[in-house]
Amino acid sequence: MILDFGGGFFLRRATNADHPAFCAVCVRTGDAGKDATSREDDPELMGQIYAVPYQVLEPDLAFAIDSPDGVAGYLFGALDTASFNARLASDWYPALRRRVSDPGSDRSAWRGSDWVRHTIHHADLGIPEALAAYPSHGHIDLLPKARGRGIGRRCMGFLEERLAAAGSTGLFLDVHPRNVEAQRFYAALGYAPVPMQTASPMSIFMAKSLPA
Ligand SMILES: CC(C)(COP(=O)(O)OP(=O)(O)OC[C@H]1O[C@@H](n2cnc3c(N)ncnc32)[C@H](O)[C@@H]1OP(=O)(O)O)[C@@H](O)C(=O)NCCC(=O)NCCS
Protein backbone atom coordinates (compact mmCIF):
# COMPACT_ATOMS: atom_id res chain seq x y z
CA MET A 1 0.00 0.00 0.00
CA ILE A 2 1.38 3.43 -0.95
CA LEU A 3 -1.47 5.72 0.19
CA ASP A 4 -4.37 4.77 2.44
CA PHE A 5 -7.52 6.72 1.55
CA GLY A 6 -9.67 5.08 4.23
CA GLY A 7 -12.85 3.06 3.77
CA GLY A 8 -10.86 0.25 2.15
CA PHE A 9 -9.61 2.48 -0.69
CA PHE A 10 -5.86 2.63 -1.25
CA LEU A 11 -3.16 3.32 -3.83
CA ARG A 12 -0.72 0.61 -4.81
CA ARG A 13 1.74 -0.01 -7.61
CA ALA A 14 0.06 -1.44 -10.72
CA THR A 15 1.04 -4.80 -12.20
CA ASN A 16 0.32 -6.51 -15.50
CA ALA A 17 -2.40 -8.51 -13.71
CA ASP A 18 -4.36 -5.22 -13.55
CA HIS A 19 -4.70 -4.88 -17.32
CA PRO A 20 -8.27 -6.30 -17.60
CA ALA A 21 -9.46 -4.14 -14.68
CA PHE A 22 -7.79 -1.06 -16.16
CA CYS A 23 -9.55 -1.68 -19.48
CA ALA A 24 -12.86 -1.93 -17.59
CA VAL A 25 -12.22 1.37 -15.77
CA CYS A 26 -11.19 3.00 -19.05
CA VAL A 27 -14.41 2.13 -20.87
CA ARG A 28 -16.56 2.97 -17.85
CA THR A 29 -15.08 6.50 -17.81
CA GLY A 30 -14.48 6.77 -21.55
CA ASP A 31 -17.30 9.05 -22.67
CA ALA A 32 -15.84 12.33 -21.44
CA GLY A 33 -15.70 10.90 -17.90
CA LYS A 34 -18.99 8.98 -18.21
CA ASP A 35 -19.70 5.32 -19.01
CA ALA A 36 -18.96 4.47 -22.66
CA THR A 37 -19.86 0.77 -22.37
CA SER A 38 -22.96 1.00 -24.57
CA ARG A 39 -21.01 2.82 -27.31
CA GLU A 40 -18.14 0.34 -27.67
CA ASP A 41 -18.35 -3.09 -29.37
CA ASP A 42 -14.89 -4.05 -28.03
CA PRO A 43 -14.79 -2.89 -24.40
CA GLU A 44 -11.07 -3.71 -24.08
CA LEU A 45 -9.83 -1.55 -26.92
CA MET A 46 -9.92 1.91 -25.34
CA GLY A 47 -7.83 0.61 -22.45
CA GLN A 48 -5.25 -0.73 -24.89
CA ILE A 49 -4.58 2.89 -25.91
CA TYR A 50 -5.32 4.97 -22.84
CA ALA A 51 -4.42 2.73 -19.87
CA VAL A 52 -2.45 -0.51 -20.39
CA PRO A 53 0.58 1.02 -22.19
CA TYR A 54 1.32 3.22 -19.17
CA GLN A 55 1.76 0.15 -16.96
CA VAL A 56 3.89 -1.56 -19.61
CA LEU A 57 6.03 1.37 -20.78
CA GLU A 58 6.26 3.48 -17.59
CA PRO A 59 5.67 1.03 -14.70
CA ASP A 60 7.33 3.25 -12.06
CA LEU A 61 4.51 5.79 -12.52
CA ALA A 62 1.60 3.36 -12.87
CA PHE A 63 -0.71 2.86 -9.90
CA ALA A 64 -4.02 1.18 -9.11
CA ILE A 65 -6.65 2.60 -6.79
CA ASP A 66 -8.07 -0.43 -5.01
CA SER A 67 -11.37 -0.69 -3.15
CA PRO A 68 -12.98 -3.33 -0.94
CA ASP A 69 -14.38 -4.95 -4.10
CA GLY A 70 -11.47 -4.58 -6.50
CA VAL A 71 -9.82 -2.01 -8.71
CA ALA A 72 -11.70 1.29 -8.69
CA GLY A 73 -9.36 3.41 -10.74
CA TYR A 74 -5.87 4.11 -11.99
CA LEU A 75 -3.26 6.84 -11.82
CA PHE A 76 -0.63 7.04 -14.55
CA GLY A 77 2.21 9.37 -15.35
CA ALA A 78 4.81 9.80 -18.06
CA LEU A 79 7.92 11.69 -16.98
CA ASP A 80 8.90 12.64 -20.53
CA THR A 81 5.92 12.72 -22.88
CA ALA A 82 8.08 12.88 -26.00
CA SER A 83 9.99 9.76 -25.00
CA PHE A 84 6.78 8.00 -23.92
CA ASN A 85 5.13 8.77 -27.27
CA ALA A 86 8.22 7.53 -29.12
CA ARG A 87 7.97 4.23 -27.21
CA LEU A 88 4.24 4.07 -28.02
CA ALA A 89 5.13 4.38 -31.70
CA SER A 90 7.95 1.82 -31.68
CA ASP A 91 6.93 -0.68 -28.99
CA TRP A 92 3.17 -0.49 -28.61
CA TYR A 93 1.15 0.42 -31.67
CA PRO A 94 2.76 -2.04 -34.15
CA ALA A 95 1.47 -5.10 -32.24
CA LEU A 96 -1.96 -3.50 -31.74
CA ARG A 97 -2.19 -2.78 -35.48
CA ARG A 98 -1.65 -6.45 -36.21
CA ARG A 99 -4.59 -7.29 -33.94
CA VAL A 100 -7.21 -4.87 -35.26
CA SER A 101 -8.03 -3.77 -38.77
CA ASP A 102 -8.26 -0.18 -39.97
CA PRO A 103 -11.94 0.76 -40.51
CA GLY A 104 -10.93 3.38 -43.10
CA SER A 105 -11.29 7.13 -43.04
CA ASP A 106 -15.04 7.42 -43.80
CA ARG A 107 -16.25 8.41 -40.35
CA SER A 108 -19.90 8.04 -41.36
CA ALA A 109 -19.29 4.31 -41.75
CA TRP A 110 -17.70 3.88 -38.31
CA ARG A 111 -19.59 1.81 -35.75
CA GLY A 112 -18.89 0.93 -32.11
CA SER A 113 -15.16 0.92 -31.43
CA ASP A 114 -14.17 1.77 -35.01
CA TRP A 115 -12.98 5.20 -33.86
CA VAL A 116 -10.49 3.42 -31.56
CA ARG A 117 -9.39 1.10 -34.37
CA HIS A 118 -8.83 4.15 -36.57
CA THR A 119 -6.85 5.86 -33.79
CA ILE A 120 -4.66 2.75 -33.46
CA HIS A 121 -3.81 2.91 -37.16
CA HIS A 122 -3.45 6.69 -37.34
CA ALA A 123 -2.25 7.67 -33.87
CA ASP A 124 -1.40 11.35 -33.55
CA LEU A 125 1.62 11.31 -31.25
CA GLY A 126 2.69 14.88 -31.85
CA ILE A 127 2.94 17.24 -28.88
CA PRO A 128 1.66 20.81 -29.27
CA GLU A 129 4.42 23.43 -29.05
CA ALA A 130 2.43 25.25 -26.36
CA LEU A 131 3.12 22.35 -23.96
CA ALA A 132 6.92 22.75 -24.15
CA ALA A 133 7.13 23.99 -20.54
CA TYR A 134 5.30 20.86 -19.31
CA PRO A 135 7.35 17.79 -20.32
CA SER A 136 5.34 15.28 -18.24
CA HIS A 137 1.71 14.25 -18.37
CA GLY A 138 -0.69 12.40 -16.14
CA HIS A 139 -3.86 10.40 -16.46
CA ILE A 140 -6.42 9.51 -13.79
CA ASP A 141 -9.81 7.79 -13.94
CA LEU A 142 -11.90 6.71 -10.97
CA LEU A 143 -15.10 4.67 -10.96
CA PRO A 144 -18.09 6.49 -9.41
CA LYS A 145 -17.71 4.70 -6.05
CA ALA A 146 -14.21 6.20 -5.62
CA ARG A 147 -15.15 9.78 -6.51
CA GLY A 148 -15.81 12.70 -4.21
CA ARG A 149 -13.70 11.26 -1.36
CA GLY A 150 -10.58 13.34 -1.93
CA ILE A 151 -8.82 10.45 -3.68
CA GLY A 152 -8.28 12.37 -6.92
CA ARG A 153 -6.66 15.30 -5.12
CA ARG A 154 -4.33 13.05 -3.12
CA CYS A 155 -3.42 11.00 -6.20
CA MET A 156 -2.54 14.07 -8.25
CA GLY A 157 -0.49 15.50 -5.36
CA PHE A 158 1.36 12.20 -5.12
CA LEU A 159 2.05 12.14 -8.87
CA GLU A 160 3.23 15.75 -8.84
CA GLU A 161 5.67 14.96 -6.02
CA ARG A 162 7.04 11.92 -7.88
CA LEU A 163 7.47 13.88 -11.10
CA ALA A 164 9.09 16.87 -9.38
CA ALA A 165 11.49 14.55 -7.52
CA ALA A 166 12.47 13.06 -10.88
CA GLY A 167 13.27 16.55 -12.19
CA SER A 168 10.12 17.43 -14.13
CA THR A 169 9.30 21.11 -14.52
CA GLY A 170 5.60 20.59 -15.19
CA LEU A 171 2.81 18.29 -16.29
CA PHE A 172 -0.33 18.45 -18.38
CA LEU A 173 -3.58 16.55 -18.59
CA ASP A 174 -5.53 15.96 -21.78
CA VAL A 175 -9.20 16.58 -20.95
CA HIS A 176 -12.22 16.14 -23.21
CA PRO A 177 -13.93 19.52 -23.80
CA ARG A 178 -17.26 18.00 -22.66
CA ASN A 179 -15.71 16.77 -19.41
CA VAL A 180 -16.52 19.91 -17.46
CA GLU A 181 -16.36 18.04 -14.12
CA ALA A 182 -12.73 17.03 -14.71
CA GLN A 183 -11.87 20.58 -15.83
CA ARG A 184 -13.29 21.88 -12.52
CA PHE A 185 -11.36 19.21 -10.62
CA TYR A 186 -8.04 20.16 -12.24
CA ALA A 187 -8.77 23.86 -11.77
CA ALA A 188 -9.34 23.20 -8.04
CA LEU A 189 -5.86 21.64 -7.99
CA GLY A 190 -4.18 24.64 -9.62
CA TYR A 191 -4.13 23.51 -13.26
CA ALA A 192 -4.91 26.07 -15.96
CA PRO A 193 -5.98 25.56 -19.58
CA VAL A 194 -3.09 26.04 -22.02
CA PRO A 195 -4.05 28.32 -24.95
CA MET A 196 -3.58 26.51 -28.27
CA GLN A 197 -3.12 28.00 -31.74
CA THR A 198 -5.61 25.48 -33.10
CA ALA A 199 -8.34 24.25 -30.75
CA SER A 200 -9.01 20.50 -30.89
CA PRO A 201 -12.59 19.18 -30.66
CA MET A 202 -11.20 16.26 -28.63
CA SER A 203 -8.79 17.89 -26.17
CA ILE A 204 -8.30 20.71 -23.74
CA PHE A 205 -4.84 20.68 -22.19
CA MET A 206 -4.64 21.72 -18.54
CA ALA A 207 -1.19 22.20 -17.07
CA LYS A 208 0.72 23.09 -13.95
CA SER A 209 4.36 24.00 -13.28
CA LEU A 210 6.21 21.97 -10.69
CA PRO A 211 8.63 23.42 -8.11
CA ALA A 212 12.32 22.84 -8.87
C1 LIG B 1 -12.14 13.80 -12.08
C2 LIG B 1 -11.81 12.86 -10.92
C3 LIG B 1 -10.43 12.26 -11.14
C4 LIG B 1 -11.80 13.68 -9.62
O1 LIG B 1 -11.44 12.84 -8.55
P1 LIG B 1 -12.25 12.89 -7.18
O2 LIG B 1 -11.61 11.95 -6.25
O3 LIG B 1 -13.68 12.67 -7.49
O4 LIG B 1 -12.00 14.39 -6.74
P2 LIG B 1 -11.71 14.89 -5.22
O5 LIG B 1 -12.75 14.33 -4.34
O6 LIG B 1 -10.30 14.58 -4.86
O7 LIG B 1 -11.89 16.45 -5.39
C5 LIG B 1 -10.78 17.33 -5.39
C6 LIG B 1 -11.26 18.73 -5.61
O8 LIG B 1 -11.82 18.83 -6.93
C7 LIG B 1 -13.13 19.33 -6.86
N1 LIG B 1 -13.99 18.59 -7.76
C8 LIG B 1 -13.97 17.27 -7.97
N2 LIG B 1 -14.94 16.92 -8.83
C9 LIG B 1 -15.58 18.09 -9.15
C10 LIG B 1 -16.68 18.41 -9.96
N3 LIG B 1 -17.34 17.46 -10.63
N4 LIG B 1 -17.08 19.70 -10.04
C11 LIG B 1 -16.42 20.67 -9.35
N5 LIG B 1 -15.36 20.41 -8.56
C12 LIG B 1 -14.96 19.14 -8.45
C13 LIG B 1 -13.60 19.05 -5.46
O9 LIG B 1 -14.58 20.00 -5.06
C14 LIG B 1 -12.36 19.11 -4.65
O10 LIG B 1 -12.09 20.42 -4.23
P3 LIG B 1 -11.64 20.69 -2.70
O11 LIG B 1 -10.59 19.65 -2.40
O12 LIG B 1 -11.11 22.08 -2.73
O13 LIG B 1 -12.87 20.49 -1.89
C15 LIG B 1 -12.85 11.74 -10.77
O14 LIG B 1 -14.09 12.30 -10.45
C16 LIG B 1 -13.00 10.89 -12.03
O15 LIG B 1 -12.21 9.97 -12.23
N6 LIG B 1 -14.02 11.18 -12.86
C17 LIG B 1 -14.33 10.37 -14.04
C18 LIG B 1 -13.20 10.18 -15.01
C19 LIG B 1 -12.56 11.47 -15.42
O16 LIG B 1 -13.23 12.42 -15.78
N7 LIG B 1 -11.21 11.49 -15.37
C20 LIG B 1 -10.44 12.61 -15.80
C21 LIG B 1 -10.12 12.45 -17.23
S1 LIG B 1 -9.16 13.82 -17.85
Side-chain angles (χ1 to χ4, degrees):
M1 186 186 299
I2 298 174
L3 293 176
D4 185 357
F5 303 121
F9 290 84
F10 61 95
L11 188 82
R12 62 166 170 81
R13 186 172 289 279
T15 73
N16 55 10
D18 293 315
H19 294 179
F22 287 167
C23 289
V25 170
C26 193
V27 75
R28 287 180 61 193
T29 56
D31 181 9
K34 301 196 167 49
D35 194 345
T37 305
S38 63
R39 187 188 66 199
E40 301 297 315
D41 64 72
D42 183 342
E44 192 210 327
L45 223 44
M46 287 186 73
Q48 290 295 335
I49 296 186
Y50 300 114
V52 176
Y54 287 91
Q55 192 284 319
V56 175
L57 301 177
E58 193 115 6
D60 289 350
L61 292 173
F63 306 93
I65 291 93
D66 242 324
S67 76
D69 50 354
V71 171
Y74 48 67
L75 170 70
F76 300 131
L79 178 62
D80 180 346
T81 303
S83 149
F84 181 78
N85 285 4
R87 281 176 285 143
L88 276 177
S90 61
D91 302 347
W92 192 253
Y93 277 107
L96 262 187
R97 288 189 188 116
R98 287 193 287 277
R99 273 182 46 196
V100 304
S101 53
D102 185 349
S105 55
D106 178 6
R107 287 167 186 257
S108 68
W110 292 355
R111 300 288 178 271
S113 304
D114 282 348
W115 71 274
V116 192
R117 297 183 181 95
H118 186 268
T119 303
I120 287 169
H121 284 271
H122 305 275
D124 177 6
L125 297 172
I127 306 167
E129 189 61 41
L131 295 174
Y134 313 99
S136 308
H137 76 274
H139 186 37
I140 182 169
D141 283 319
L142 304 175
L143 293 180
K145 63 184 170 192
R147 296 177 199 163
R149 311 167 64 101
I151 293 176
R153 178 184 277 281
R154 287 189 64 193
C155 282
M156 290 307 299
F158 169 78
L159 181 64
E160 290 164 16
E161 276 174 24
R162 284 277 167 118
L163 291 171
S168 177
T169 53
L171 79 163
F172 71 86
L173 289 310
D174 182 344
V175 192
H176 196 284
R178 277 194 286 114
N179 194 348
V180 177
E181 288 89 350
Q183 290 166 45
R184 290 189 185 130
F185 163 71
Y186 293 124
L189 271 56
Y191 290 78
V194 179
M196 293 285 148
Q197 280 200 327
T198 319
S200 157
M202 296 292 283
S203 295
I204 289 174
F205 295 98
M206 299 193 66
K208 185 178 186 176
S209 296
L210 294 173

